[in-house]
Amino acid sequence: QVQLIQSGGGLVQAGDSLSLSCAASGRAPMLYYLGWFRQAPGKEREFLSGITWRGDIRYSADSVKGRFTVSRDDAKATVYLQMNIVTPEDTAVYYCAAVASTVDRIRPVQTLTTIQDYDYWGQGTQVTVSS
C-alpha cells in the first residue's frame, strides 16, 4: 500500500508563488507516475501536471503551462508543485495522486489525466488566492 501525504497550501495573494508537497510512503517504489489535480467549488476535478516516479517525463495541462512546475526529490520521495503568479481562479482544493506501476496501469503520461487513471490519492489541501 502507498500513502500520499500532502503539505503546503493556505491563503495567498494574487501574484504570489506557492509550493505544494506530496510525500510518498509505504511501497512507493511501486509507483509509476504522480499527478496533481485541483477541484474548485462546483467544478470537476481537473488535471494539472505530473511526473514519472523516475523523474524522466513531465506533462502539464495547457491551462497551467508556464505557471505551474512539477518536480521530484528522489531522496525525500516527494513531488512538488510550484505555482507562480497565482490568481483567484487558482482557488481550489489541490490533490496529488499516483498511478501504480503495474502493466495494466502504465500508459503514455499524456493520457493519465482523469481520476480513474489513478490508484492512490493524497488528503487534499486548500489553496485560496485573494485578489
Side-chain angles (χ1 to χ4, degrees):
Q1 192 62 285
V2 174
Q3 295 80 40
L4 301 178
I5 307 298
Q6 296 181 226
S7 60
L11 175 63
V12 296
Q13 292 187 333
D16 284 354
S17 295
L18 186 67
S19 181
L20 306 180
S21 301
C22 176
S25 62
R27 301 181 68 185
M30 299 299 292
L31 300 179
Y32 166 62
Y33 187 73
L34 284 96
W36 286 97
F37 289 75
R38 70 183 177 190
Q39 188 164 19
K43 294 188 177 181
E44 294 186 353
R45 198 166 295 189
E46 172 192 15
F47 172 81
L48 301 174
S49 189
I51 187 169
T52 51
W53 186 246
R54 289 170 46 179
D56 56 343
I57 304 174
R58 293 178 175 85
Y59 178 71
S60 293
D62 289 341
S63 59
V64 299
K65 278 181 182 177
R67 276 200 315 128
F68 291 6
T69 303
V70 62
S71 62
R72 176 178 170 275
D73 185 324
D74 184 52
K76 296 181 179 179
T78 298
V79 175
Y80 304 94
L81 182 68
Q82 177 67 35
M83 304 165 57
N84 296 326
I85 317 175
V86 295
T87 72
E89 288 68 37
D90 294 318
T91 296
V93 177
Y94 284 71
Y95 298 90
C96 66
V99 179
S101 60
T102 55
V103 173
D104 61 323
R105 300 296 280 171
I106 296 176
R107 302 208 312 271
V109 300
Q110 296 87 341
T111 67
L112 299 173
T113 60
T114 71
I115 59 176
Q116 292 80 5
D117 297 320
Y118 290 78
D119 303 290
Y120 308 101
W121 288 86
Q123 78 276 21
T125 185
Q126 177 70 45
V127 172
T128 303
V129 183
S130 64
S131 57

